[in-house]
Amino acid sequence: MSTTSVLGGIVRRREDPALVRGKGRYVDDVKFPGELAVAFVRSPFAHARITSIDTSAAAAMDGVHAVYTIDDVRHLGPVPAQVPIGTLRPLLADGTVHHVGEAVAMVVADDRYVAQDAAELVVVDYDPLPAVVDLEEALRDEVQAHEGKSNVLLTWHGQDWWPGVTDELVDPKPQIEEAKAREDTVVVSLRMTNQRLLPTMIEPRVTVANWNGGYGAFEIWSATQIPHALAGAIGKIFGLPSNKVRVVAPEVGGGFGAKLNIYPEDILCAFASQQLERPVRFVETRREAAVATIQGRGWVGTATLVGTRDGKILGYELEAICDMGAYSHNFTVAIPALGLFVAPGQYDIPTHYELHCVVTNLPTTDAYRGAGRPEAAYYLERIIDHYARTIGMDPAEVRKRNFWPPDAFPVTTSVGLTMDSGDYARNLDALLEWADYEGMKRRRDEARAEGRLVGVGLGTYVEVCGFGPSALAGLGFSWSEYGMPSAFNGSGVVRVNPDGTCTVIIGTGPSGQGHETTWSQIVAEELGIELDAIEVLHGDTAESPFGVGTFGSRSLAVDGTAAFEAASRVRAKAAKIAAHLLEAAPEDIRFADGGAHVAGSPDKAVTWGEIATSAYQPHTLPEGMEGGLEATAVFSPPNATWPFGAHLAMVEVDPDTGNVEILEYWAMDDCGNVVNPMIVAGQIHGGIAQGIGQAMFEHAVYDEDGNLLSAALMDYPMPTAGDLPSFKLNRTTTPTDVNPLGVKGIGEAGTIGSAQTIVNAVVDALAPLGIEHVDMPLRPRAVWEAIQKARG
Amino acid sequence: MKISVTVNGTRYERDVEPRTLLVHFLREDLGLTGTHVGCDTSYCGACTVLVDGRSVKSCTFLAVAADGAEITTVEGLAADGELHPVQEGFWERHGLQCGFCTPGMIMSSVALLEENPSPSEAEIRHALEGNLCRCTGYHNIVLAVQYAAAKLRGEQPPPADWEEVGA
Ligand code: FES
Ligand code: FES
């Protein structure tokens, strides 16, 4: 097998043979003897004082082992958060409930049927309080979501958002105001909603905690994106050393940020297991997921842009209210800041942000695919389109006039962050040419001439991801709340076993991203070893090196690089051993085809098995060399990475029903170098689908009392196969120098690039009617109403 | 209640409670955990199995109602270690990421191709509307079904579009 094509080549996933046979092992597939099940009593009110809880009937039921309330667990403290700004969630409601679905009591029973029946016997009396649901009302702060506490947690300002980072930055606000006051400029403004979403991974949350009093240790199986953080947090909460808590996250059925949190149910299962000395399992129901799992987005704001009549943008402002929900979880208030990081997008424009993070009596918001960056890209790209239409210029042309030029990189944006690399004009031109933008517009105009509502929409984005740099953790993302070092580094172990096979152990916990395949490719390439000889282990804190987790499109750029560096070290040692065995100089050793040979003499060769055997028999090693053939590497990148791209859609709106049909969807993404183009394409497909889901279908809708009206899947229309088109994907390649692989990250890009593309296309279709904006989701009714209104 | 069912070719006689759902019977009594549970409203399709050749959401089907039936789950598709063409298609065309929806998706696709060996893209998309996937955006699932359809017809599967992208 040739190894030179492994990196950058399409390799079928090594995960799949088990998964397509139904042999994948997810948390709920693994049972422990003597397991108990839990069910929760959840609040029907968004805001209410609890006047009494009577658990006696439930506790007396056959098969019930315990019923817990806050009085039993208050001493454990609240659910820890890395950015502990706002009220942290108590493990169970403490005196007052602050959103519908907040857990009030937990029943532990022989099985889930008994637990559920018993939960219904718990009697809770409530004294309802006024609920804060509307974001404007929350900002006015007249009624408080938490009595006696301001609803406004903080306001992220464009220029003083992070102490110490932005000292030399010029405040662009005076510049923007001056541009607005000029007579030759145009000021455009739109108020837009970026609605709340439910992450809706198909595998719900599931955790089973197993305390062994004999060993004084926990074994916890959980569908989590952050196994090490969960182990750290459990250790911290229960006062155990970290090596007494083992967390296993086997196959994880999707996460999208929602499993990047520690939840009260995880901690409560651990507590109950310790109390009852039995394994205790929580499996979230789909309805529970709609109130007890974090949600995404939830912004309403006004974007304002000022520019000249010939397309030069002179300033951009966004003032928005961001819904934090009732309690702060892992990153909650930091999510809007991620939007701020990419506020100016691909453009060299003075940018001013003001994001008010407000508390409401709704479930918590936190990271959901893109996390702050889709919101930012949406506002910016919508207002640029609106500006282009206002000055009568092609939207692609306006964008090109304001891009950072490629020779400006690394470039420090007006919010004080340095972007690694970019070639935006080349990327956009490649898209326009490949998709035949001119032809598309022609076809649109022809359709329009026939009276049809056809539109073409363009959207660009820049993403910040691949977190690192490690120092970012020191700036307020405090993993220490999870009993972990505060860092954003990556780790990997590469071990060549005595038989010449290779075991790679990674610090990330994937949830569908194909790490086993991608990491195998990296290591195979570096060692010249066959893919099939490599096994990648992950998700078990007892065996893997300390790792931060899988989120923020960071795994490949940070942990993948660590695996690459570990492989390089193994290779260097193996070269010395091979040189010794072949009586050659280490510099002359080459690795290929499952072994090593001397450059220029392919038959002077040893296999990896021979090298490894020697490595584990120290007497056969060069004098003074330590035995063994493995290395651990920790990679700490100097910066985050900044992928980018441009998407283009053509849509048709049915004027009689308001139904939107996506006729074509084209995407030109740039995530730097690519290890496996097939996996990258898959990530983009899924990302686009989630962005289209937001643009056209999904909305977590609440009534004024804070009741979720879209809890069941039929009321929360995430896209089905029939709702979506096939996507046309292509790439440009602009590597980064932030890591030696030149890779950036692709997990969230599709989502960050797509919602604005669809809405821009739909608004373009409706523009002949004088419609300037329609808020997402663009369901038929919303579009139909906009058409009716425009037609008067 | 006593029931007798044939699952993936093996006959089982079991005593089940009348309220036991087929999916729990398969997962817990028979240990066939390939069939997944993703919702409680019969909406996601992760639990899809074949009952007498028809695709059924096993989370809304009582085990007692399967008495006397022939059931095929995802574990029963591969014959003599060889993947079923639909399973092969999902692998070849990257039709899965986290894999949680996959067993249900595969079973629905098997049922579709038995009924319609040459489905159009629109027919594939329509047939899979009862199976939700949050990871793939369905693009590669469509390619996977097209791959399997070609294979089952004895034809060469068309290449995937992403195989031809080189920027
Ligand atoms: S688990 Fe059966 S349809 Fe969702
Ligand atoms: S592959 Fe994850 S839900 Fe379909």
Side-chain angles (χ1 to χ4, degrees):
Chain A
M1 183 189 72
S2 154
T3 50
T4 45
S5 63
V6 171
L7 210 60
I10 288 174
V11 170
R12 262 60 192 186
R13 292 208 322 171
R14 315 194 63 224
E15 290 84 347
D16 293 356
L19 299 180
V20 298
R21 286 182 156 93
K23 301 285 187 191
R25 196 168 52 156
Y26 299 83
V27 174
D28 208 33
D29 299 339
V30 180
K31 301 289 179 199
F32 295 91
E35 265 191 37
L36 301 175
V38 301
F40 287 88
V41 179
R42 295 188 182 275
S43 169
F45 294 101
H47 196 190
R49 217 162 291 141
I50 298 172
T51 51
S52 70
I53 307 178
D54 181 358
T55 60
S56 55
M61 213 177 121
D62 246 12
V64 171
H65 293 254
V67 184
Y68 298 117
T69 67
I70 186 67
D71 290 335
D72 302 297
V73 293
R74 193 179 284 107
H75 64 283
L76 297 173
V79 179
Q82 283 191 63
V83 184
I85 298 171
T87 305
L88 302 189
R89 181 183 290 280
L91 290 179
L92 292 164
D94 195 353
T96 305
V97 289
H98 292 101
H99 68 85
V100 168
E102 181 170 355
V104 176
M106 175 171 91
V107 178
V108 190
D110 281 337
D111 62 44
R112 70 189 139 214
Y113 300 107
V114 177
Q116 264 153 23
D117 290 349
E120 273 159 38
L121 297 181
V122 174
V123 183
V124 186
D125 286 323
Y126 297 94
D127 200 353
L129 295 164
V132 180
V133 174
D134 179 71
L135 292 182
E136 309 271 354
E137 191 193 323
L139 186 63
R140 280 198 299 275
D141 221 4
E142 284 154 12
V143 181
Q144 270 114 25
H146 286 259
E147 287 177 288
K149 291 186 190 174
S150 169
N151 294 329
V152 187
L153 292 182
L154 60 78
T155 296
W156 295 109
H157 285 285
Q159 269 55 52
D160 57 1
W161 56 274
W162 220 281
V165 176
T166 53
D167 285 351
E168 317 104 70
L169 276 183
V170 188
D171 180 2
K173 186 77 181 155
Q175 232 179 308
I176 298 171
E177 290 307 325
E178 195 194 313
K180 281 190 196 164
R182 265 165 57 177
E183 288 205 341
D184 60 339
T185 56
V186 182
V187 181
V188 291
S189 187
L190 281 178
R191 182 173 176 75
M192 294 177 276
T193 299
N194 201 286
Q195 79 275 23
R196 256 187 191 252
L197 304 176
L198 307 181
T200 323
M201 52 284 179
I202 305 299
E203 180 200 35
R205 288 191 292 127
V206 46
T207 289
V208 52
N210 193 357
W211 169 255
N212 184 315
Y215 295 127
F218 273 119
E219 181 176 325
I220 294 172
W221 286 57
S222 182
T224 177
Q225 296 170 239
I226 44 171
H228 286 274
L230 179 55
I234 294 289
K236 191 171 177 204
I237 292 163
F238 291 91
L240 295 165
S242 65
N243 53 12
K244 291 288 188 189
V245 185
R246 175 185 182 192
V247 170
V248 184
E251 300 294 348
V252 175
F256 314 113
K259 290 174 180 168
L260 160 56
N261 269 270
I262 290 172
Y263 286 94
E265 293 88 349
D266 305 328
I267 301 164
L268 289 164
C269 281
F271 170 76
S273 176
Q274 204 175 40
Q275 294 289 305
L276 304 168
E277 297 237 24
R278 296 271 292 268
V280 176
R281 179 180 301 264
F282 165 66
V283 185
E284 186 173 57
T285 67
R286 184 57 60 186
R287 280 169 204 281
E288 258 180 320
V291 291
T293 288
I294 63 94
Q295 304 182 1
R297 322 276 190 260
W299 292 19
V300 55
T302 302
T304 305
L305 189 139
V306 52
T308 64
R309 298 212 162 264
D310 59 359
K312 177 79 194 138
I313 302 172
L314 300 172
Y316 166 56
E317 293 177 291
L318 178 69
E319 178 166 12
I321 315 172
C322 308
D323 187 353
M324 303 291 100
Y327 296 107
S328 292
H329 272 220
N330 192 2
F331 288 122
T332 303
V333 298
I335 299 303
L338 285 175
L340 174 57
F341 287 8
V342 293
Q346 302 189 341
Y347 314 102
D348 177 9
I349 49 177
T351 301
H352 179 78
Y353 251 39
E354 225 156 290
L355 304 177
H356 309 289
C357 297
V358 301
V359 179
T360 56
N361 291 115
L362 296 177
T364 296
T365 62
D366 206 297
Y368 166 58
R369 203 171 195 169
R373 292 153 290 175
E375 295 91 317
Y378 179 75
Y379 282 101
L380 175 61
E381 291 293 307
R382 281 289 301 122
I383 198 70
I384 287 186
D385 241 48
H386 186 51
Y387 166 65
R389 186 163 289 115
T390 307
I391 62 170
M393 187 176 279
D394 183 277
E397 183 55 32
V398 169
R399 286 174 169 87
K400 280 196 248 178
R401 290 194 182 186
N402 293 280
F403 280 157
W404 287 104
D407 55 10
F409 289 87
V411 69
T412 300
T413 71
S414 77
V415 295
L417 291 161
T418 302
M419 302 201 287
D420 53 354
S421 63
D423 195 342
Y424 304 141
R426 184 170 71 101
N427 175 263
L428 179 57
D429 282 336
L431 171 69
L432 299 181
E433 195 189 321
W434 174 57
D436 185 19
Y437 180 57
E438 292 305 322
M440 209 183 234
K441 286 193 295 183
R442 232 181 358 258
R443 284 183 283 134
R444 171 197 64 191
D445 294 342
E446 285 160 15
R448 264 186 198 163
E450 294 166 17
R452 289 160 59 202
L453 297 177
V454 173
V456 172
L458 179 66
T460 75
Y461 69 90
V462 59
E463 177 184 3
V464 54
C465 68
F467 303 108
S470 224
L472 186 63
L475 291 173
F477 293 102
S478 175
W479 289 104
S480 61
E481 300 294 324
Y482 282 9
M484 304 219 305
S486 271
F488 275 115
N489 49 22
S491 57
V493 175
V494 172
R495 176 187 302 146
V496 177
N497 303 308
D499 62 354
T501 62
C502 180
T503 303
V504 181
I505 317 174
I506 65 181
T508 57
S511 44
Q513 298 85 350
H515 291 183
E516 292 176 36
T517 305
T518 303
W519 269 242
S520 298
Q521 288 179 259
I522 293 169
V523 173
E525 175 88 2
E526 187 59 11
L527 298 185
I529 218 165
E530 281 178 32
L531 277 170
D532 288 344
I534 300 173
E535 195 67 34
V536 177
L537 307 179
H538 56 76
D540 183 343
T541 62
E543 73 189 8
S544 67
F546 171 76
V548 175
T550 296
F551 57 88
S553 308
R554 65 182 300 282
S555 297
L556 176 60
V558 190
D559 291 76
T561 301
F564 167 74
E565 295 198 329
S568 302
R569 287 177 206 170
V570 166
R571 177 192 168 111
K573 181 168 181 180
K576 287 187 195 148
I577 300 171
H580 182 69
L581 295 173
L582 296 168
E583 297 177 347
E587 318 71 86
D588 294 335
I589 297 296
R590 301 285 177 273
F591 289 91
D593 302 324
H597 63 269
V598 179
S601 345
D603 21 304
K604 280 190 79 180
V606 282
T607 64
W608 270 103
E610 287 163 331
I611 297 170
T613 303
S614 180
Y616 290 97
Q617 297 170 167
H619 59 277
T620 60
L621 287 176
E623 185 77 23
M625 186 184 272
E626 188 186 7
L629 195 49
E630 77 173 76
T632 301
V634 172
F635 177 64
S636 184
N639 191 1
T641 58
W642 302 77
F644 56 91
H647 291 195
L648 185 64
M650 190 165 179
V651 302
E652 175 154 15
V653 177
D654 180 336
D656 299 327
T657 61
N659 189 59
V660 174
E661 190 188 349
I662 302 173
L663 304 173
E664 293 174 31
Y665 197 99
W666 304 75
M668 182 72 69
D669 296 282
D670 192 322
C671 58
N673 289 336
V674 164
V675 177
N676 188 329
M678 177 190 82
I679 288 180
V680 166
Q683 289 296 309
I684 298 170
H685 292 148
I688 292 173
Q690 282 179 359
I692 294 178
Q694 172 162 28
M696 292 180 51
F697 306 105
E698 301 176 35
H699 188 186
V701 187
Y702 292 85
D703 68 14
E704 58 193 17
D705 295 324
N707 294 301
L708 178 59
L709 303 177
S710 48
L713 279 172
M714 54 262 231
D715 306 316
Y716 185 83
M718 64 163 270
T720 68
D723 293 325
L724 296 175
S726 285
F727 310 119
K728 299 200 190 310
L729 306 188
N730 211 327
R731 293 194 314 270
T732 56
T733 304
T734 310
T736 178
D737 58 6
V738 164
N739 60 66
L741 296 172
V743 298
K744 287 191 170 180
I746 197 62
E748 297 162 288
T751 307
I752 299 171
S754 47
Q756 63 268 25
T757 301
I758 294 294
V759 179
N760 284 346
V762 173
V763 171
D764 185 54
L766 301 175
L769 304 175
I771 292 171
E772 295 184 333
H773 179 68
V774 187
D775 267 329
M776 302 185 289
L778 302 176
R779 292 188 197 158
R781 189 182 172 134
V783 176
W784 182 82
E785 281 175 358
I787 294 171
Q788 296 311 307
K789 211 171 132 207
R791 286 183 170 160
Chain B
M1 278 176 74
K2 264 219 170 350
I3 60 166
S4 153
V5 288
T6 305
V7 181
N8 302 332
T10 307
R11 204 180 153 81
Y12 299 90
E13 314 257 338
R14 287 286 194 282
D15 231 347
V16 296
E17 276 199 51
R19 71 171 172 181
T20 305
L21 298 171
L22 178 58
V23 67
H24 290 146
F25 174 74
L26 293 169
R27 288 179 56 84
E28 282 153 33
D29 292 43
L30 304 187
L32 293 169
T33 55
T35 303
H36 295 157
V37 180
C39 71
D40 41 19
T41 48
S42 181
Y43 209 75
C44 75
C47 62
T48 307
V49 299
L50 302 184
V51 176
D52 293 328
R54 274 186 322 116
S55 76
V56 157
K57 290 184 173 173
S58 63
C59 71
T60 34
F61 199 91
L62 292 173
V64 292
D67 187 26
E70 291 246 10
I71 295 170
T72 310
T73 71
V74 69
E75 290 98 334
L77 285 181
D80 305 323
E82 288 278 306
L83 292 180
H84 183 283
V86 173
Q87 292 173 307
E88 187 185 315
F90 272 74
W91 187 16
E92 284 290 328
R93 291 294 176 259
H94 190 26
L96 63 149
Q97 290 179 27
C98 79
F100 201 77
C101 72
T102 309
M105 259 325 157
I106 287 177
M107 298 317 288
S108 291
S109 304
V110 169
L112 162 69
L113 294 180
E114 251 153 50
E115 227 170 74
N116 180 357
S118 304
S120 64
E121 174 175 344
E123 285 170 332
I124 294 171
R125 289 184 175 274
H126 181 67
L128 297 178
E129 274 175 343
N131 292 77
L132 296 179
C133 175
R134 194 53 149 173
C135 297
T136 63
Y138 308 103
H139 180 109
N140 284 341
I141 290 177
V142 171
L143 299 188
V145 177
Q146 287 169 338
Y147 176 103
K151 265 262 161 131
L152 286 164
R153 293 192 306 261
E155 295 162 15
Q156 180 69 24
D161 54 352
W162 35 259
E163 287 181 310
E164 289 154 355
V165 171

